[in-house]
Amino acid sequence: MPYKAMIVEDNAIYRYAVKTIIDWRAHGFDLAAEAINGKQALQVMDEETFDLILTDVSMPEMNGIDLIEAVKRRTPDTVVVMLSSFDDFQFVKDSLKLGAQDYLLKHDLEPESLARLLDQVRERLEQAERLRRERQARRAEAEAQFMRRAMLGEWEDERELARQAEAGEFRFASAPYRILALAFADAQKDDAAGERCREVIRRGLASARQAEGRTETGERKAEGQMDVGERQAERQVDVGEREAEGRMDVGEREAEGQVNVGEREAEGRMDTCAAAETGLYDPQTLSVRLSTGRWGIAVSSNGEGLGRSSARSLADGLIAEAGRHGLRLSIGVSEVAAGGTGLSKAYEQAAAALFQTVYEGWGRVYASRWAPTPAKLDPALVRSWLSAMRKGEAETVKTAAEALIGQIRGQRVDREQLRQWLFDGFSLVVVLAGERRADGEAATGGVDWHARVERALQRMEPPERLLAMVMDEYAKLSPKKAGCDVRGYRKEIQQAIDYIHAHYAEEITLPGLAAELGFSPNYLSNLFRGETGMRLTEYVTRHRMDVAKHLLQDTRLKVYEVAERVGYPDASYFCKVFKEVAGLTVSEFRRSE
C-alpha cells in the first residue's frame, strides 16, 4: 500500500507542477490531498494522517515554519520536506532545526530531483516502519510474557508484579479488562492442528475488529457528523474566495486528486484488521499462549474498541471460526477486572467457567457469572467406591461408581476434587497390585498414571471417561487378585485392612480401630501382628508412605499438601517418617523419580 502524501503550496502553478512532473505511485506514494496554506493543511489533518508533507515556506495565514511545529506536535513521525526559494533560505534552515527532513529549491525542480527525494523518503519511512514493528514485537513479547506469568499466578510478590507492570507500561496492568480462557480439544494432534489454533485466533480477532469498525462508523453517522462532501465544499469555497484575488481554482483538482475521506477511514480499519490477523500489535486485545491448546486473551473493557462490544460476542466469533477450521473450542469468560494483581484471579474465574466443558461439552461459551458454584464431593461415596474395589465385589463396585458419577455430575465438582478422586482410585489399584504380589507396572499399563490424570483433566474428559480410566486398570487385575482374601487373611484382619485403606488420611489408633470393628485392643493387636507380620501402627505408616510416594510424583503438590493427604498435619514429622521408611529424603525421592 503506497504512503500518503500532501502538498501545501499557495502557488497553483508550482502545486500543479509538483503533482504532475512525476508518477508519484511509481515511487511508492499516493498524493492524497493538497492545501494552499498551513491552516488548511491542519484542517485536512483533522480527518486523516499523512506520511509525507511537501510544503512551501512562505504562505499566508500560516507559513511552513508554523506548520512544521504543529505537524510535529500532532504526528512526530510524519516526514516534512520544504519547498524553498533562495530568498527564504533562512526559513529553510529554521525548518530543518524544527524537524524537516530535506528541502527542494523551486527553481531547480526537476523530475530526477523530486524522484530521488521521494525514494529517499520512502526508504526512511520503510526503515522507520521496520523499527516500529520490531519495537512493537519486542513490546508485545515482553507484555505477553508478563501476562502469561500474571495469569498463571507465577508472581509470588504482588508488589514486584505491580512494579514490573508500571515499568513496562503494560496496558492491561491498569486498565479494566476481561479474560477469555480458550481450550482447543484437538490442538495436541499434530503441529498443523496447533497452527490452525493460531489462525483461528488471528482471524477471530480480525473479524471482531472489523465488525467494531463498522459499528463505530455507523455510530458516528448517527451522531450527525458533518458529511465529507460538505467539508470539501467548504474548502472549495475558501479556495474560490482566494481565486477572486487572482489565484487558480484548485477545487477541481481537489475533487480529482483527493481520495474520499470516508474511504480512507475504511482503509485504515482494514489495516488494523490486517495487523491483528498477522499477529501484530492490537491496542484492544492481547492473546497469550499458555500451553498446548490453551490460550488466554485479555480484552479491554474501557469503553473503546472491542471493549464496547461484549467479550461474549468475541468468544462466539472465535468458536464459529474454530468450526470453520474443523476444530472444537470452548471459552470461559471472566468478570471485569483491573490492575496487574487482578490478572491471576480473572484467569482463574475464566478457567473455572471453562471447566464446565467437562459437564456440558465442547463448542460453547461459559461465562463466569453464570457458572454454578461447585460443591464438595461426598467423602463417604468415595470411600464406599474404594472399599468395594478392595473387596472385589463387582456389583457393589458398579453401584458405588454409579452413585459417585451421579453426585459428580449433580454437584459439578471442580478440577481439584476430580484430580484427588482419580489419584485415590489409581493409588488403590497400584497398592492392590503390590499387596497381592501383582506386577505393579503391568497393572497400570506401564504408564505414569499421574500424567494420565493430568492429560485427561487437561482434555476436559467427561466424568464417565475419567471413571473408565481407573476401572480399566482395575480390570487388569485377575479375578483372584481383585478378590478380597488373596493372602489368606482372616476376615477380622481383612476388615481392619479395608478400614485402614479407606481412612488412612484420618487419625487411626489401635483402640479406635478395635472399637470400630468390635474387638478388644489386645485381641486385634495380637491377631494383626500374627497375620501380617507387622504391628498395626507399622502397617498404617507403610501404607501412608506408599500413597505418599505416588502423590510425590506430582511435582505440583507441595510437601505439606502431600503430608496432609496421608494423615500428617505436621510436614516436618512427615518428612522424618518418610526418610525412615523409604530410606530417602522427600527431595531425594523426587529427584530419583
Side-chain angles (χ1 to χ4, degrees):
M1 187 174 180
Y3 293 106
K4 291 169 64 176
M6 175 169 61
I7 298 175
V8 186
E9 166 64 68
D10 63 329
N11 188 308
I13 296 175
Y14 275 122
R15 192 166 61 248
Y16 180 77
V18 170
K19 288 173 57 176
T20 59
I21 196 172
I22 62 169
D23 181 358
W24 283 66
R25 280 190 168 266
H27 295 275
F29 287 88
D30 176 16
L31 193 51
E34 58 185 81
I36 60 176
N37 58 39
K39 181 179 179 181
Q40 192 181 71
L42 294 179
Q43 290 174 348
V44 175
M45 291 182 69
D46 288 338
E47 302 295 335
E48 53 191 316
T49 59
F50 296 89
D51 302 295
L52 168 64
I53 294 178
L54 197 63
T55 180
D56 189 12
V57 177
S58 300
M59 297 177 292
E61 294 198 46
M62 177 181 282
N63 62 34
I65 301 298
D66 295 336
L67 176 61
I68 291 175
E69 288 186 288
V71 168
K72 290 302 177 180
R73 283 196 301 268
R74 290 189 180 195
T75 55
D77 294 333
T78 299
V79 175
V80 180
V81 174
M82 307 301 294
L83 288 171
S84 162
S85 304
F86 277 122
D87 58 358
D88 55 24
F89 194 71
Q90 182 59 45
F91 283 120
V92 173
K93 292 173 64 177
D94 294 339
S95 69
L96 294 175
K97 292 179 182 179
L98 290 172
Q101 179 180 332
D102 208 338
Y103 67 92
L104 283 175
L105 295 176
K106 291 183 179 181
H107 71 281
D108 287 338
L109 188 63
E110 298 289 342
E112 293 80 8
S113 59
L114 182 56
R116 185 166 55 251
L117 173 71
L118 293 183
D119 290 341
Q120 291 172 353
V121 172
R122 188 189 70 249
E123 290 175 3
R124 172 177 172 170
L125 291 170
E126 289 172 349
Q127 182 181 18
E129 179 66 16
R130 285 193 298 270
L131 293 175
R132 184 183 67 82
R133 288 173 181 262
E134 290 173 3
R135 286 195 302 270
Q136 288 182 349
R138 288 194 298 269
R139 177 182 175 82
E141 176 64 21
E143 189 165 19
Q145 290 298 325
F146 169 83
M147 292 288 286
R148 183 181 186 280
R149 293 188 63 189
M151 284 185 193
L152 297 179
E154 295 179 359
W155 292 94
E156 296 182 0
D157 187 342
E158 290 190 354
R159 288 176 298 182
E160 176 63 15
L161 183 153
R163 191 190 69 79
Q164 292 280 356
E166 182 179 357
E169 297 181 348
F170 298 136
R171 295 165 289 157
F172 297 102
S174 56
Y177 53 81
R178 291 182 189 268
I179 297 296
L180 274 57
L182 282 67
F184 290 91
D186 313 295
Q188 297 179 349
K189 287 184 177 179
D190 49 44
D191 292 339
E195 182 53 39
R196 291 206 307 277
C197 294
R198 295 186 183 89
E199 186 65 16
V200 165
I201 293 174
R202 283 193 290 264
R203 289 186 176 275
L205 292 175
S207 297
R209 173 63 64 191
Q210 192 171 16
E212 184 62 34
R214 288 194 296 268
T215 300
E216 289 177 354
T217 301
E219 288 175 354
R220 283 196 297 268
K221 288 181 179 178
E223 291 168 2
Q225 275 198 328
M226 183 180 292
D227 182 77
V228 173
E230 293 178 3
R231 296 192 190 94
Q232 289 177 335
E234 287 180 358
R235 288 200 294 271
Q236 288 171 1
V237 169
D238 184 41
V239 172
E241 292 174 353
R242 297 184 184 280
E243 285 173 355
E245 299 171 1
R247 292 185 172 85
M248 179 180 291
D249 178 11
V250 298
E252 294 180 1
R253 290 187 175 83
E254 285 183 348
E256 294 171 358
Q258 288 184 334
V259 177
N260 180 273
V261 173
E263 293 176 358
R264 284 197 291 272
E265 288 180 346
E267 290 175 0
R269 287 193 295 274
M270 291 297 290
D271 289 344
T272 305
C273 295
E277 186 172 345
T278 55
L280 298 179
Y281 188 82
D282 180 354
Q284 298 299 331
T285 65
L286 179 65
S287 57
V288 182
R289 182 179 179 275
L290 302 173
S291 61
T292 302
R294 294 296 181 109
W295 292 73
I297 300 180
V299 183
S300 171
S301 293
N302 61 2
E304 298 177 1
L306 284 175
R308 248 200 318 261
S309 64
S310 69
R312 175 61 187 256
S313 297
L314 172 59
D316 286 338
L318 287 166
I319 286 178
E321 189 66 39
R324 287 190 284 272
H325 283 74
L327 295 172
R328 292 180 299 158
L329 169 66
S330 284
I331 300 176
V333 183
S334 77
E335 295 295 293
V336 174
T341 56
L343 286 165
S344 176
K345 181 179 179 181
Y347 180 72
E348 286 178 3
Q349 285 181 349
L354 171 65
F355 197 69
Q356 294 305 306
T357 301
V358 169
Y359 302 105
E360 298 191 29
W362 290 88
R364 299 184 63 176
V365 178
Y366 299 99
S368 175
R369 63 182 301 184
W370 302 120
T373 302
K376 293 291 184 182
L377 186 59
D378 186 355
L381 285 178
V382 178
R383 287 197 299 268
S384 176
W385 174 62
L386 295 173
S387 178
M389 290 173 65
R390 168 165 282 285
K391 292 176 181 178
E393 300 170 352
E395 286 302 317
T396 307
V397 170
K398 180 180 178 181
T399 301
E402 289 175 350
L404 196 56
I405 291 298
Q407 191 190 61
I408 287 172
R409 277 203 168 276
Q411 302 291 352
R412 301 289 185 94
V413 301
D414 60 22
R415 181 185 181 121
E416 184 55 37
Q417 292 187 78
L418 288 180
R419 178 188 290 113
Q420 183 58 51
W421 163 55
L422 294 171
F423 279 2
D424 288 344
F426 272 113
S427 295
L428 177 61
V429 171
V430 174
V431 170
L432 283 175
E435 278 189 357
R436 294 160 186 175
R437 295 188 172 87
D439 181 348
E441 183 174 333
T444 56
V447 178
D448 179 358
W449 56 267
H450 285 85
R452 288 186 62 187
V453 168
E454 293 304 331
R455 286 196 297 270
L457 293 174
Q458 184 78 357
R459 292 193 302 269
M460 294 189 288
E461 300 281 11
E464 293 78 7
R465 290 187 185 178
L466 298 176
L467 173 66
M469 287 172 48
V470 180
M471 300 314 297
D472 287 348
E473 296 303 326
Y474 179 69
K476 291 177 183 178
L477 298 172
S478 69
K480 182 180 179 183
K481 290 171 183 172
C484 65
D485 199 16
V486 176
R487 297 181 63 180
Y489 293 146
R490 292 175 56 160
K491 181 180 179 180
E492 300 95 319
I493 300 307
Q494 189 61 54
Q495 289 176 341
I497 290 174
D498 289 344
Y499 184 90
I500 292 168
H501 283 247
H503 299 269
Y504 63 85
E506 304 168 16
E507 182 181 9
I508 299 177
T509 64
L510 178 59
L513 181 56
E516 182 73 26
L517 300 177
F519 307 132
S520 71
N522 285 338
Y523 174 79
L524 179 59
S525 177
N526 293 332
L527 188 60
F528 193 93
R529 186 163 188 172
E531 289 283 314
T532 66
M534 289 181 280
R535 290 176 289 114
L536 178 68
T537 54
E538 182 183 357
Y539 185 91
V540 171
T541 299
R542 287 187 176 277
H543 179 71
R544 285 171 169 171
M545 294 305 109
D546 286 342
V547 175
K549 288 177 182 178
H550 292 294
L551 294 176
L552 286 168
Q553 293 177 30
D554 182 359
T555 56
R556 292 174 306 175
L557 290 175
K558 307 293 185 184
V559 174
Y560 74 85
E561 293 177 317
V562 174
E564 290 174 351
R565 290 185 183 185
V566 295
Y568 292 90
D570 186 340
S572 299
Y573 181 66
F574 163 76
C575 292
K576 178 183 178 182
V577 175
F578 186 89
K579 184 175 181 181
E580 290 174 355
V581 175
L584 297 170
T585 66
V586 170
S587 298
E588 290 170 342
F589 176 80
R590 276 188 155 167
R591 285 196 296 269
S592 69
E593 290 296 308

